[in-house]
Amino acid sequence: MDAQRLRQAFTGFFADRGHTVVPSAGLVPQDKSVLFTIAGMVPFKPYFLGDELPAYRRATSIQKCFRTLDIEIVGTTKRHETFFEMLGNFSFGDYFKEEAIAWSWELLTGLLGMDPSRLWVTVHESDSEAEAIWVDRVGVDPRRIQRMGEDNFWSMGDTGPCGPCSEIYFDRGDAYGAPGGPASGGQERYVEVWNLVFMQYNRTKSGELQDLPQRNIDTGAGLERMLMVVEGVDSLFATDLFTPVIGAAERALSRRYGDDAEADVAIRILADHGRAMTFLVSDGVLPANEGRGYVLRRIIRRAVVRAHQLGVEGLISPGLVEAVIDVMGVAYPALIRDRDMVMEVLEAEEGRFSRTLRTGSALLEEELHSPRSTVQGDLAFRLHDTYGFPIELTQELARSRGKELDMAGFDRAMALQRSGEAVQNLLHQ
Ligand code: SER
């Protein structure tokens, strides 16, 4: 089963059970509490809160998502990514735990053919109801169910809809780490494939949990992770969604994936960030010094620096964009429409950064080779201000060499420049 078949199988399964298939919303959310669409439920937030009445009580979607929480890790593992597609089914005050749990199991073990003896389940420590459904209704061995605390409570952010959740994990086997289930076993071994959130609270600004007007279901399964299990490969990057983009990254870097650990990290970064930058620009995000545009700038530059470290001189984005549109255009035709615009924006941004990259990199290398254990704040500021190195990138590069960055010094240099600018402005008034 390839990605497109999995997409269709998932939404088809829920359409057969009375769900309306809702197209993906953009990566730039209507909701102001999050910078990006970070989960399948984001476009439905007003329905969960009871602020708006949906035209349907059951929905299913494949939502484009973008998260940067783990960005420093992306590339170093085979299972982290920034841009991903989230498969989900939703109930707005309609069905609740019983159906959501039973259907998830039916879909995984029936339609997708996953071996039930490889699946584990976690529930929130307070949720005896969910545990009982897993055992009594679905027939899961109680020894395969673990209770967890914080990890089994999902919230959209500091405020907003939230609730206890139950997660399903696939056991990849002894070769991937210690046994013990998701609660205490190896993280690479137990891969989360689906999260079922029992959305029943709204967290207010003061942190209070208020009951929502109705009990809802919000489930989310990363398409790429599920595909990895279904296709029987050990990496997101080995799925049919990624292999052509990995190929483009190999060509951009003139390296073969699998030959060398450092180049492999760079190849995965280019593949992941190539997808993210293509979708972000197509969804209307443009490189900038703040907000969403800054995040986009950061991922472009993170990829470009990696390429530069491997001696690449030419542009990396055109080949990546081409490959991403080739693979993803079937499911997201807007990419095909936006192709020229995306290419132009990314080439211009990459070109701008490339002009200062060489000098900036040389300065940073010098600092990283010095005996000091800390990268000087002044230098980090100069890299940011004159050479366009996002501070988070400098910090990450410093850490990869075992050094910390003097953030206080960086902030001081930034404040000094701002006050200097303020004086200049006063003098010119
Ligand atoms: N909102 C939950 C998540 O993102 C389930 O969809 O994991």
Side-chain angles (χ1 to χ4, degrees):
M1 185 179 278
D2 62 10
Q4 186 59 4
R5 288 212 183 87
L6 178 54
R7 291 187 188 105
Q8 284 161 353
F10 187 93
T11 51
F13 178 90
F14 286 105
D16 288 346
R17 286 155 184 79
H19 292 63
T20 299
V21 181
V22 179
S24 176
L27 288 170
V28 176
Q30 302 270 325
D31 187 74
K32 299 275 178 290
S33 72
V34 278
L35 208 52
F36 294 102
T37 302
I38 50 144
M41 53 71 65
V42 171
F44 301 123
K45 182 178 167 187
Y47 304 158
F48 288 124
L49 294 177
D51 290 345
E52 281 175 36
L53 219 60
Y56 35 75
R57 305 282 298 279
R58 299 176 178 193
T60 181
S61 68
I62 300 165
Q63 175 61 50
K64 296 179 275 187
C65 296
F66 179 70
R67 288 185 190 173
T68 52
L69 200 65
D70 295 324
I71 189 165
E72 283 197 21
I73 306 175
V74 171
T76 63
T77 75
K78 294 178 174 178
R79 65 189 171 90
H80 285 92
E81 51 185 349
T82 56
F83 171 85
F84 61 101
E85 293 170 78
M86 191 177 265
L87 306 161
N89 60 292
F90 307 90
S91 152
F92 311 113
D94 189 23
Y95 63 85
F96 200 46
K97 291 183 190 178
E98 184 123 359
E99 292 87 340
I101 288 176
W103 283 334
S104 66
W105 194 259
E106 186 185 339
L107 192 147
L108 291 182
T109 60
L111 192 65
L112 301 186
M114 287 188 198
D115 176 358
S117 71
R118 307 277 296 268
L119 297 177
W120 285 69
V121 167
T122 61
V123 294
H124 188 253
E125 57 200 6
S126 67
D127 202 350
S128 303
E129 188 188 10
E131 184 167 7
I133 297 170
W134 280 116
V135 176
D136 302 333
R137 161 120 198 230
V138 180
V140 174
D141 180 344
R143 285 170 302 184
R144 286 291 177 82
I145 303 175
Q146 297 180 317
R147 288 192 180 217
M148 310 233 282
E150 285 279 284
D151 282 342
N152 275 75
F153 194 92
W154 197 87
S155 343
M156 180 176 154
D158 296 338
T159 61
C162 54
C165 60
S166 180
E167 293 176 318
I168 308 172
Y169 287 79
F170 183 81
D171 178 2
R172 300 208 281 169
D174 290 337
Y176 293 89
S184 58
Q187 287 199 347
E188 290 294 332
R189 172 168 177 160
Y190 298 96
V191 184
E192 181 202 323
V193 287
W194 207 338
N195 185 14
L196 317 177
V197 184
F198 311 124
M199 205 70 112
Q200 57 199 98
Y201 304 115
N202 179 25
R203 202 197 310 262
T204 63
K205 276 200 180 109
S206 66
E208 187 198 345
L209 291 182
Q210 291 176 342
D211 280 333
L212 287 172
Q214 60 198 17
R215 297 191 308 173
N216 309 288
I217 288 294
D218 152 32
T219 87
L223 170 73
E224 303 79 3
R225 287 224 184 139
M226 218 182 243
L227 201 58
M228 178 171 106
V229 175
V230 170
E231 290 185 350
V233 291
D234 78 340
S235 159
L236 301 180
F237 300 94
T239 60
D240 72 292
L241 273 180
F242 265 102
T243 41
V245 191
I246 288 283
E250 289 179 313
R251 288 190 292 281
L253 300 176
S254 305
R255 300 296 171 102
R256 272 225 330 256
Y257 190 48
D259 277 358
D260 163 70
E262 194 199 335
D264 284 355
V265 171
I267 289 172
R268 286 191 290 263
I269 288 178
L270 261 61
D272 172 83
H273 290 12
R275 283 168 29 110
M277 61 181 89
T278 303
F279 273 94
L280 285 169
V281 175
S282 170
D283 275 357
V285 182
L286 295 175
N289 282 335
E290 54 192 19
R292 289 183 193 100
Y294 179 70
V295 180
L296 170 63
R297 177 159 276 170
R298 212 180 130 195
I299 61 159
I300 297 168
R301 296 186 175 189
R302 188 171 185 255
V304 173
V305 164
R306 287 295 175 154
H308 175 80
Q309 285 174 334
L310 293 176
V312 172
E313 306 227 328
L315 295 179
I316 57 166
S317 59
L320 292 172
V321 171
E322 202 72 71
V324 172
I325 297 178
D326 264 2
V327 190
M328 305 296 274
V330 189
Y332 302 94
L335 291 178
I336 300 168
R337 183 200 63 205
D338 295 340
R339 182 186 174 281
D340 291 352
M341 184 274 287
V342 172
M343 233 18 138
E344 213 170 290
V345 167
L346 292 175
E347 277 187 36
E349 173 67 9
E350 206 189 327
R352 246 189 319 269
F353 183 49
S354 301
R355 285 194 279 281
T356 55
L357 172 68
R358 198 178 303 275
T359 323
S361 293
L363 277 176
L364 180 60
E365 272 310 309
E366 205 178 296
E367 177 75 4
L368 292 175
H369 279 102
S370 88
R372 282 188 293 268
S373 62
T374 311
V375 170
Q376 306 291 291
D378 279 348
L379 179 97
F381 179 70
R382 196 140 64 93
L383 284 173
H384 154 89
D385 195 46
T386 312
Y387 300 104
F389 278 57
I391 184 64
E392 299 83 357
L393 180 62
T394 307
Q395 193 167 37
E396 182 188 328
L397 295 171
R399 283 196 184 136
S400 70
R401 305 279 190 87
K403 297 197 179 198
E404 276 308 311
L405 193 152
D406 173 16
M407 270 312 277
F410 172 82
D411 290 340
R412 268 197 308 279
M414 175 81 97
L416 204 65
Q417 191 202 47
R418 291 216 167 120
S419 62
E421 278 169 5
V423 170
Q424 287 290 330
N425 287 343
L426 275 176
L427 290 175
H428 285 96
Q429 267 175 14

